Amino acid sequence: MVDNNGAITAASGNSDGDDKKVGAGVNGGGENERDNTSSLSSGSGSGESDDAILPRGQVDPVYEEKARILNRAIQEIGIGPYQYLLFLVVGFGWASDNLWPVATSLILPPIALEFLPSRPAYLTLAQNIGLLAGAIFWGFGCDVFGRKWAFNLTLGITAVFGMCAASSPNFAAIGVFASLWSFGVGGNLPVDSAIFLEFLPGSHQWLLTVLSVDWAVAQVLATLVAWPLLGGMTCQEGGNGGCERGENMGWRWFLIALGGLTLLMFGLRFAAFKIFESPKFLMGQGRDEEAVRVVHEVARRNGRDSGLTVEDLRRAEPEGYVASTDVKVAVKRRLENVKMERVRVLFSTRKLAWSTGLIMAIWAFIGLGYPLYNAFLPYIQATRGADFGDGSTYLTYRNSLIIAAVGIPGALLGGYLVELPRFGRKGTLSLSTVLTGVFLYCSTTALDSQSLLGWNCAFNFTSNVMYAVLYSFTPELFPTPQRGTGNALTATCNRIFGIMAPIVAMFADLRTAAPVYTSGALFITAGVLVLLLPFESRGKAAL
């Protein structure tokens, strides 16, 4: 018998010899330890239904039982130094996910002054194409080749191409580099959310929501770095031939600064912290011995013991099942995994299909609504005769910094609200998404700088709550073997619809307010759709 993913294969041979040696070697042997492990598999009977987000029967039964055993083992270890350090380095990915798109929006005006492109929005389009490619490649790839390498490489790729972009001689070159650094950025959240979630005990999955603090801090950091560089080293008005390079070096130094910071984050990830492959990923690939070793190593780093053995996982298998460790079989399995079967699993039952389809639609609506707002709001404000003050560099960056700073408590509030009884992930995400749309509508009424600042602060606060919950809730809805694939599907929907926004900005009638109101409607619709999701993850462990 083969599961839906081809991860556990039927084979002949003795499953006792090597497996028992591995279990004894990892645990140090002894009957007392074996007695302590009995609780890991004792709760796997059919009566257990409330300890996992996905109810029984939604995924392959052999994988499901093993995942529940691993969940109990990780819960037994609890939270400790390994997870806290992982929280820190995973936060680098969250920061990068916001840092570089914000950077693109900040450098666009000086780049347009220097290179005088006929359609400056092509830079945003190039960025979104790179984000889409990265989400697809890294999201699907981490389910095939593992989380570890993707986790380390995404930041490195972003840093290298981000710094290279500072040398761009023309608009086409900066567009290419924006696509390349965005290819790395696009993989951060699909991969990082999966690997962090899979090391968290169910009692602490709310930490995935709090991670979005790094996302909000990145916006503050980008604004602080941009203020002296872009504010003081940018030409104010380009002539017919554009700005001279020497008068417009701010955006180049800005990219070097952000690239250097991202390179530092990559170095800390790669050299200063040893990341282990996800035990659930290893188990889903039939590598039970390695999964057990990782659990025991995490326990050791947390100063605790784990009673998990390979035999505990083997008890979940019908008679005759063994996990193949042959290299050729492993390579063949990985190549076979590059197919639509991983996607089909996410639609294999009615509830799972409904959940997957809805969360993809929610990501798509938000992916179009957010950039539409940013692209069209200045035009509707201008057509209504709004007076926004002197437009000085100080006022511009001061307001941007205030708006960015307001997002930090928003992310923290999201981490608190998702654990409230009868509210949880769904209630928090729905309310914050609807309020984001409402405040977007309100911002169009602003006729002076102060009122615009107030509405933008409210919008940024609720949108940070929304993104904090969305980024944490989404990976919880997918089982581990398909978590990267599920993240890739949702991120792909988000990026495809995000690509539409600059296209609309280039070709639509900019004198109409319809796109801004459409954006608000998309947020409100997404908030309503959240209430239709069939699963609530509060207080439950991800499979």
Side-chain angles (χ1 to χ4, degrees), residues 39-120:
S39 63
L40 292 173
S41 55
S42 62
S44 60
S46 60
E48 178 190 324
S49 60
D50 296 328
D51 66 332
I53 297 168
L54 301 181
R56 289 185 178 276
Q58 303 299 313
V59 296
D60 174 74
V62 175
Y63 168 79
E64 181 178 341
E65 293 303 326
K66 289 188 173 186
R68 291 175 186 269
I69 292 169
L70 283 176
N71 278 343
R72 286 189 287 274
I74 293 173
Q75 184 67 48
E76 179 187 75
I77 295 170
I79 199 81
Y82 182 80
Q83 284 90 350
Y84 291 137
L85 287 172
L86 187 60
F87 180 90
L88 177 64
V89 296
V90 167
F92 297 158
W94 251 254
S96 176
D97 185 75
N98 199 22
L99 189 67
W100 286 93
V102 168
T104 303
S105 65
L106 290 173
I107 65 175
L108 181 56
I111 284 176
L113 286 173
E114 181 172 340
F115 297 128
L116 300 178
S118 59
R119 297 191 185 276

Side-chain angles (χ1 to χ4, degrees), residues 246-271:
E247 301 173 349
N248 199 44
M249 289 293 292
W251 69 269
R252 298 178 189 272
W253 288 115
F254 180 61
L255 288 180
I256 291 172
L258 294 192
L261 177 61
T262 308
L263 189 63
L264 176 62
M265 294 190 292
F266 165 74
L268 290 173
R269 264 193 185 184
F270 193 79

Side-chain angles (χ1 to χ4, degrees), residues 48 50 109 151 181 296 339 371 374 414 442 445 465 499 504 538-539:
E48 178 190 324
D50 296 328
F151 181 76
W181 84 53
H296 280 267
K339 58 184 180 182
N374 289 323
C442 293
T445 66
V465 177
I499 286 174
V504 172
R538 189 190 73 82

Side-chain angles (χ1 to χ4, degrees), residues 4-5 140 143 337-349 352-353 356 360 478 481-482 484-486 488-489:
N4 289 330
N5 308 312
F140 286 102
D143 272 349
N337 282 340
V338 187
K339 58 184 180 182
M340 289 299 294
E341 188 63 32
R342 290 191 172 275
V343 177
R344 292 192 192 101
V345 172
L346 297 177
F347 297 88
S348 58
T349 68
L352 202 53
T356 302
M360 289 172 64
F478 304 118
Q482 292 82 33
T485 299
L489 289 175

Side-chain angles (χ1 to χ4, degrees), residues 211-427:
L211 263 175
S212 286
V213 168
D214 296 290
W215 200 82
V217 169
Q219 187 175 356
V220 175
L221 182 63
T223 306
L224 285 173
V225 175
W227 195 338
L229 295 177
L230 296 181
M233 304 175 67
T234 299
C235 66
Q236 299 303 311
E237 186 175 351
N240 294 331
C243 291
E244 293 293 331
R245 175 169 176 160
E247 301 173 349
N248 199 44
M249 289 293 292
W251 69 269
R252 298 178 189 272
W253 288 115
F254 180 61
L255 288 180
I256 291 172
L258 294 192
L261 177 61
T262 308
L263 189 63
L264 176 62
M265 294 190 292
F266 165 74
L268 290 173
R269 264 193 185 184
F270 193 79
F273 180 79
K274 182 178 181 181
I275 180 72
F276 297 110
E277 186 57 83
S278 159
K280 287 182 186 175
F281 169 79
L282 293 170
M283 178 271 291
Q285 293 287 308
R287 296 152 66 183
D288 291 352
E289 296 88 349
E290 295 176 61
V292 171
R293 287 193 184 98
V294 169
V295 170
H296 280 267
E297 181 59 25
V298 172
R300 184 187 69 80
R301 293 191 175 212
N302 286 355
R304 299 175 187 175
D305 295 320
S306 173
L308 181 68
T309 67
V310 174
E311 286 82 358
D312 290 324
L313 297 178
R314 289 288 187 260
R315 290 190 192 104
E317 298 177 355
E319 186 177 354
Y321 265 61
V322 295
S324 175
T325 57
D326 181 81
V327 175
K328 291 182 179 179
V329 174
V331 172
K332 181 180 179 182
R333 183 194 301 136
R334 288 188 174 188
L335 294 175
E336 288 175 346
N337 282 340
V338 187
K339 58 184 180 182
M340 289 299 294
E341 188 63 32
R342 290 191 172 275
V343 177
R344 292 192 192 101
V345 172
L346 297 177
F347 297 88
S348 58
T349 68
R350 183 175 297 178
K351 267 192 172 183
L352 202 53
W354 180 244
S355 175
T356 302
L358 275 180
I359 198 65
M360 289 172 64
I362 291 164
W363 274 84
F365 288 161
I366 292 174
L368 178 58
Y370 195 83
L372 264 182
Y373 164 76
N374 289 323
F376 283 92
L377 184 62
Y379 295 99
I380 185 174
Q381 290 167 339
T383 57
R384 292 192 172 200
D387 178 14
F388 297 109
D390 60 8
S392 66
T393 298
Y394 169 78
L395 185 65
T396 299
Y397 282 101
R398 186 210 67 176
N399 289 356
S400 296
L401 187 59
I402 292 172
I403 294 168
V406 166
I408 297 176
L412 292 173
L413 179 63
Y416 170 75
L417 293 177
V418 294
E419 290 298 309
L420 290 181
R422 300 183 181 180
F423 199 58
R425 271 71 159 167
K426 287 171 62 176

Side-chain angles (χ1 to χ4, degrees), residues 422-437:
R422 300 183 181 180
F423 199 58
R425 271 71 159 167
K426 287 171 62 176
T428 306
L429 181 57
S430 178
L431 179 62
S432 60
T433 306
V434 169
L435 286 178
T436 298

